[in-house]
Amino acid sequence: MTTTQSTTRPIVVGFDGSQSSQDAIRWAADAAARLVAPLVVLHAADRIVHAQDVSIGIWDPAAEHQRAQDLAEQGAALAREAHPDLEVTAQGSLLGPRQALDEASAHARGVVVGSRGFGRVRSTLLGATTYGLTGHARCPVTVVPGPASMPGPDSRVVVGVDGSPESERAAEAGARWAQAWGADVLVVSSWERPTTDPWGLSVDGMRSVDEAAEVRRERAAGQARHAADALTAAFPDLSVEIATPSGRADENLVEASSDAALLVLGNRGSGRLSSFLLGSTTRNILHMSMVPVHIVR
């Protein structure tokens, strides 16, 4: 095992031996190598909840921890195979996946997880584990849905913006990912056409549905232009385009990123979005996206 001595914060990747976690390992190793960051491979045995059984000899904490460490080493070997010069540490834990990864996130540059795993994790990763991490981790979280390539000249980075401070941070993070791999950025700001009020009341205080729709479209376009202008000023060599599709934000972002290498989002948004971004919107994106989703705090 290689012991991490670097003062640079590591990228932490969860590993349980499943194919999904192997895909996450390879993606995280590629990212760590390009960003010149150490990599920590973490396996959480999820046995600490059974601590009361230790007293009657049902399981041995030392033996379970060694098993967790051994499995983490298997994941670390995959990372070293892909990048022999990468600084890699294997780490076993008796905690559950969400708790162990959340704890590790306090000192990490980013946390990477697969979209599904073995056992209990397989049925709950997009609920308790990944869903919980995206809302509570203390660093960015990347969810890798399967074998994935990194950004590049032919594989852009897509960023969702809505004018909120969180989306501004997501845009900057997306630009940094794109810059590291020489990729372009597409800034997406969605808007929804209002529906006719059944009681005849005005829509958004406007005289008609069409007027209200045009205001929403212009607002989305302004948000996209503002984000793109900020990125162009901060990253002069970066190619930035904008898109302002109408419809549901989650569906638009999934469609816009279908030929991309990375989708970057803030963990909260503005307006109605702020109340459910970690519910229906982000959760739907995590279920539907075919490319890695990077969620920024």
Side-chain angles (χ1 to χ4, degrees):
M1 179 182 72
T2 301
T3 301
T4 300
Q5 300 293 337
S6 174
T7 58
T8 302
R9 288 185 300 164
I11 292 176
V12 177
V13 56
F15 181 72
D16 65 1
S18 66
Q19 182 59 53
S20 182
S21 68
Q22 292 178 42
D23 295 333
I25 286 277
R26 295 185 178 95
W27 191 94
D30 287 347
R34 178 57 64 98
L35 299 176
V36 194
L39 182 68
V40 173
V41 179
L42 173 64
H43 174 69
D46 201 15
R47 290 304 301 268
I48 201 71
V49 294
H50 305 297
Q52 70 275 8
D53 297 335
V54 174
S55 60
I56 55 177
I58 293 180
W59 66 284
D60 175 25
E64 289 295 333
H65 189 274
Q66 187 58 53
R67 291 191 187 97
Q69 186 68 32
D70 291 344
L71 189 52
E73 284 286 359
Q74 293 179 28
L78 292 175
R80 297 187 190 107
E81 180 182 342
H83 295 279
D85 296 330
L86 184 63
E87 188 177 351
V88 184
T89 299
Q91 181 178 328
S93 172
L94 296 181
L95 298 174
R98 175 180 168 180
Q99 185 178 357
L101 289 167
D102 184 50
E103 188 176 277
S105 74
H107 308 288
R109 181 171 183 165
V111 171
V112 181
V113 292
S115 60
R116 55 181 58 85
F118 283 135
R120 293 170 56 202
V121 178
R122 184 177 181 86
S123 63
T124 61
L125 188 58
L126 291 181
T129 302
T130 297
Y131 178 58
L133 277 174
T134 57
H136 301 289
R138 286 159 278 186
C139 69
V141 176
T142 306
V143 181
V144 180
S149 60
M150 305 307 291
D154 299 320
S155 300
R156 62 189 176 186
V157 174
V158 174
V159 180
V161 300
D162 61 6
S164 67
E166 289 80 6
S167 73
E168 291 179 1
R169 290 194 289 272
E172 182 179 356
R176 293 191 183 281
W177 279 101
Q179 185 182 55
W181 272 272
D184 298 339
V185 173
L186 175 65
V187 175
V188 179
S189 181
S190 293
W191 61 280
E192 290 190 56
R193 182 178 177 84
T195 56
T196 304
D197 191 287
W199 293 278
L201 301 177
S202 60
V203 179
D204 294 349
M206 303 293 140
R207 290 171 295 183
S208 68
V209 170
D210 288 342
E211 183 179 357
E214 182 60 20
V215 168
R216 292 187 181 187
R217 187 195 66 78
E218 290 180 354
R219 183 185 301 123
Q223 291 167 350
R225 285 194 299 269
H226 175 76
D229 289 345
L231 295 185
T232 301
F235 305 89
D237 297 331
L238 195 63
S239 175
V240 182
E241 297 181 355
I242 65 173
T244 57
S246 64
R248 290 171 53 99
D250 52 4
E251 294 176 352
N252 288 337
L253 285 166
V254 169
E255 182 177 355
S257 62
S258 61
D259 59 351
L262 187 67
L263 172 58
V264 185
L265 306 170
N267 70 331
R268 289 184 178 83
S270 61
R272 292 192 307 156
L273 192 61
S274 64
S275 66
F276 65 79
L277 185 59
L278 292 180
S280 61
T281 301
T282 296
R283 193 165 186 168
N284 286 348
I285 288 173
L286 292 176
H287 276 293
M288 296 187 296
S289 180
M290 300 301 291
V291 304
V293 180
H294 184 71
I295 300 175
V296 180
R297 292 189 61 79

